[in-house]
């Protein structure tokens, strides 16, 4: 503890001296960062280094000095001041309990995110899970992204075709045919027929039909993610893969409601009232489905690796943004 305090005093004196040197080089009308006497200023700086809750105050003081140093007109003097600044900053960062030492990293989630690693391993497949609000061009973005990356693309319609080719039992896992997503409501009272109940009990091994469909779809998603590079649209794929410890990238694409309404009106030939009602209904169903089958919250930023407002970029630029994030780890 004594050695640490002495080190802080040494660094505080260096900071005070650097501030004076930078001011002499710049001659700014704004004055020095530290206007108090040396003894009091050094003691205050020392306390900021020792007090974790006030670490941001020390960072702000250092930033003021570095900002002014970058305005020094003489290149040689500027380089000398910034070199001293970098040296001080590095030593502060090496202090016990310095600012930046308490990370916010969630190791469990980071292990599943290939972009959080230095690079993708040979055994990892590039799996991009895209959730989206209706009308945000999420499907268009996902399809074109897969095409440009030369990887497979899966949405609900394609999943059904794959399942049929695998000779899955018709109706037991067919997402579109059973229409279990658009009608999803686990709490809605349904008419009860004993004959239907026995038939579905045998077909789905005692599970409710909606749950059986979800679990069969989950198995398919996991098998795909383990064997190939792909883009998966919706289906709670991000949460399914996380629960099975399969690396993936999760994205959420949305856009302001008014712009989504405008796009739906144009693409589906609806009027304003129809488009607004349609979007609210679809967003509600997406949320209900995701929130029920996962431990996340649909549309909440903390549930995803990256959230994008597609209206700020358009389809083409949104794809470019995602590709830049991916390519930094694939090169």
């Amino acid at each position: 503890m004594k050695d640490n305090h002495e080190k802080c005093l040494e660094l505080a004196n260096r900071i005070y001296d650097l501030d004076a040197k930078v001011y002499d080089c710049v001659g700014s009308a704004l004055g020095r960062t530290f206007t108090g006497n040396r003894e009091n200023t050094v003691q205050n700086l020392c306390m900021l280094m020792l007090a974790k809750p006030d670490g941001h105050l020390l960072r702000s003081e250092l930033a003021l000095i570095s900002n002014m140093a970058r305005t020094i007109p003489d290149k040689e003097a500027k380089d000398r001041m910034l070199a001293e600044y970098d040296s001080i900053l590095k030593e502060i960062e090496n202090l016990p309990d310095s600012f930046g030492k308490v990370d916010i990293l969630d190791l469990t989630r980071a292990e599943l995110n290939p972009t959080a690693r230095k690079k993708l391993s040979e055994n990892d497949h590039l799996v991009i899970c895209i959730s989206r609000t209706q009308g945000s061009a999420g499907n268009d973005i996902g399809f074109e992204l897969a095409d440009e990356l030369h990887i497979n693309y899966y949405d609900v319609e394609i999943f059904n075709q794959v399942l049929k080719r695998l000779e899955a039992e018709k109706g037991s896992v067919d997402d579109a045919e059973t229409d279990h997503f658009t009608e999803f409501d686990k709490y809605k009272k349904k008419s009860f027929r004993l004959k239907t109940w026995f038939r579905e009990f045998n077909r789905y091994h005692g599970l409710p039909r909606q749950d059986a469909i979800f679990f069969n779809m989950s198995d398919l998603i996991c098998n795909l993610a383990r064997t190939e590079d792909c883009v998966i649209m919706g289906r709670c794929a991000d949460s399914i893969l996380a629960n099975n410890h399969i690396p993936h990238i999760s994205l959420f694409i949305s856009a302001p409601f008014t712009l989504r309404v405008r796009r739906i009106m144009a693409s589906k030939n609806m009027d304003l009232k129809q488009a607004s009602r349609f979007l609210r209904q679809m967003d509600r169903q997406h949320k209900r489905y995701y929130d029920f089958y996962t431990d996340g919250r649909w549309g909440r930023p903390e549930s995803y690796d990256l959230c994008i407002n597609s209206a700020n970029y358009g389809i083409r630029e949104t794809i470019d943004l995602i590709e830049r994030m991916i390519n930094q780890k694939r090169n």
Side-chain angles (χ1 to χ4, degrees):
M1 183 67 182
K2 181 179 178 182
D3 291 342
N4 188 46
H5 187 271
E6 290 176 355
K7 184 63 177 177
C8 289
L9 281 174
E10 176 198 334
L11 289 170
N13 277 288
R14 289 174 63 187
I15 293 170
Y16 185 87
D17 290 338
L18 178 62
D19 179 45
K21 293 174 185 176
V22 169
Y23 174 68
D24 289 341
C25 291
V26 176
S28 172
L30 296 176
R32 291 183 55 175
T33 302
F34 307 119
T35 56
N37 65 63
R38 184 185 190 96
E39 183 180 355
N40 289 338
T41 302
V42 166
Q43 287 297 328
N44 288 335
L45 288 171
C46 186
M47 289 305 299
L48 289 178
M49 280 183 258
L50 293 169
K52 285 194 295 184
D54 293 328
H56 67 284
L57 299 177
L58 175 63
R59 190 163 43 228
S60 298
E61 301 282 23
L62 292 170
L64 286 172
I65 298 173
S66 66
N67 291 347
M68 191 168 294
R70 292 186 181 92
T71 68
I72 297 174
D74 183 86
K75 186 178 184 304
E76 184 179 341
K78 179 170 70 173
D79 291 345
R80 190 169 61 253
M81 295 300 107
L82 289 176
E84 172 66 1
Y85 167 79
D86 290 339
S87 174
I88 293 171
L89 184 61
K90 187 173 295 185
E91 292 194 44
I92 291 175
E93 290 174 344
N94 288 330
L95 290 172
D97 299 327
S98 178
F99 53 75
K101 287 294 179 69
V102 183
D103 206 338
I104 197 170
L105 180 66
D106 183 336
L107 292 174
T108 303
R109 289 183 65 101
E111 273 298 309
L112 298 176
N113 183 354
T115 64
R117 306 175 182 180
K118 292 184 178 179
K119 63 178 181 178
L120 291 169
S121 73
E122 294 180 357
N123 297 323
D124 288 334
H125 289 281
L126 176 61
V127 181
I128 305 171
C129 304
I130 300 180
S131 298
R132 75 283 182 210
T133 54
Q134 194 78 22
S136 63
N139 287 79
D140 302 78
I141 291 166
F143 177 78
E144 292 189 32
L145 176 65
D147 189 54
E148 290 201 8
L149 294 173
H150 305 295
I151 64 178
N152 293 331
Y153 170 84
Y154 295 98
D155 58 14
V156 59
E157 288 78 14
I158 299 174
F159 273 133
N160 291 323
Q161 294 302 318
V162 172
L163 288 166
K164 287 176 182 178
R165 285 199 295 270
L166 294 174
E167 298 181 346
E169 181 182 1
K170 185 178 180 181
S172 66
V173 293
D174 191 326
D175 204 2
E177 186 175 355
T178 58
D179 203 25
H180 88 288
F181 170 72
T182 55
E183 296 296 327
F184 179 79
D185 190 345
K186 292 285 291 188
Y187 307 104
K188 181 179 179 180
K189 291 184 179 180
K190 300 177 178 64
S191 59
F192 179 81
R193 295 180 181 177
L194 188 61
K195 184 177 180 180
T196 301
W197 184 87
F198 273 118
R199 185 177 66 249
E200 294 191 352
F201 183 89
N202 291 328
R203 173 180 291 180
Y204 307 126
H205 309 289
L207 290 172
R209 175 168 34 165
Q210 292 172 337
D211 292 348
I213 293 169
F214 176 80
F215 293 137
N216 279 284
M217 187 69 68
S218 298
D219 288 342
L220 175 56
I221 288 171
C222 289
N223 289 335
L224 291 171
R226 289 189 179 105
T227 56
E228 63 183 60
D229 297 346
C230 57
V231 171
I232 303 176
M233 302 301 301
R235 310 295 93 191
C236 304
D238 55 335
S239 183
I240 291 168
L241 296 182
N243 289 338
N244 287 275
H245 308 289
I246 301 174
H248 63 282
I249 298 169
S250 61
L251 308 176
F252 186 80
I253 298 174
S254 189
F257 186 78
T258 53
L259 295 179
R260 292 195 286 132
V261 167
R262 188 188 308 169
R263 189 170 190 271
I264 290 298
M265 290 172 64
S267 62
K268 294 185 176 294
N269 195 28
M270 293 181 175
D271 61 27
L272 177 62
K273 186 175 181 180
Q274 289 173 326
S276 299
R277 184 186 302 118
F278 172 75
L279 285 182
R280 289 192 178 94
Q281 178 184 6
M282 292 304 296
D283 286 351
R284 189 162 51 247
Q285 289 171 348
H286 275 105
K287 184 180 187 307
R288 186 183 297 133
Y289 183 81
Y290 188 93
D291 290 359
F292 183 85
Y293 281 115
T294 79
D295 57 1
R297 289 293 179 265
W298 184 79
R300 293 272 188 91
E302 57 269 25
S303 297
Y304 309 93
D305 297 319
L306 179 67
C307 298
I308 305 174
N309 182 349
S310 55
N312 287 356
Y313 304 95
I315 294 175
R316 178 67 264 161
E317 289 298 324
T318 299
I319 294 170
D320 290 344
L321 176 66
I322 298 170
E323 283 188 307
R324 286 197 296 273
M325 178 185 74
I326 295 169
N327 288 334
Q328 286 178 354
K329 300 298 177 183
R330 284 168 65 89
N331 291 338

